[in-house]
Amino acid sequence: MDEQKILFKLREICLGLPGASETVTFGHPTFQAGKMKTFAVLERYKGELSISFKVGKSLQGVFLDDPRFFKTPYVGQHGWVSLRVNGGRLDWKEIAELAKGSHQLITGKKK
């Protein structure tokens, strides 16, 4: 799946969440809600395409035990993980749940 198709599907998921908007930060498609707080980013880091989400510090280790995930550069210490996009089939239900959970963490609102 190419980057534009991934962005299209990610956009569909993220913009379906309450108050969500899309912008570009540091050249990356970024999804925000609340008071301009980021909850998902599609980015390349060292040539590797990934989707970043906030999962919280308490759950971060669970994700990092899975080789599909790595600690998000620069914000990982705040409970962010990045899902590697290349190399396997993406589970869009899982991505939707990650986006929803990240959205809830940054807005403080549960749906």
Side-chain angles (χ1 to χ4, degrees):
M1 185 175 255
D2 74 14
E3 190 168 341
Q4 286 306 310
K5 288 180 182 176
I6 291 166
L7 177 58
F8 179 83
K9 288 193 70 96
L10 183 62
R11 183 179 283 140
E12 187 176 58
I13 290 166
C14 291
L15 294 180
L17 296 169
S21 63
E22 182 178 352
T23 189
V24 175
T25 57
F26 303 103
H28 307 295
T30 302
F31 298 92
Q32 298 179 329
K35 296 181 179 180
M36 303 298 286
K37 292 184 174 185
T38 299
F39 68 92
V41 181
L42 179 65
E43 64 184 346
R44 280 196 183 278
Y45 181 71
K46 295 187 177 180
E48 186 170 35
L49 188 62
S50 63
I51 306 170
S52 302
F53 303 98
K54 185 169 188 173
V55 295
K57 291 180 186 178
S58 63
L59 290 178
Q60 189 179 44
V62 173
F63 288 95
L64 296 178
D65 285 341
D66 183 328
R68 298 175 303 147
F69 292 89
F70 61 95
K71 189 184 270 191
T72 305
Y74 311 109
V75 294
Q77 72 272 21
H78 301 293
W80 282 77
V81 296
S82 294
L83 171 64
R84 291 178 172 88
V85 170
N86 301 331
R89 186 175 179 159
L90 295 175
D91 180 344
W92 288 102
K93 286 184 182 180
E94 176 184 46
I95 291 168
E97 287 301 313
L98 287 164
K100 180 180 167 186
S102 185
H103 180 273
Q104 288 173 349
L105 282 172
I106 66 100
T107 62
K109 297 178 184 176
K110 293 192 177 191
K111 191 172 178 182

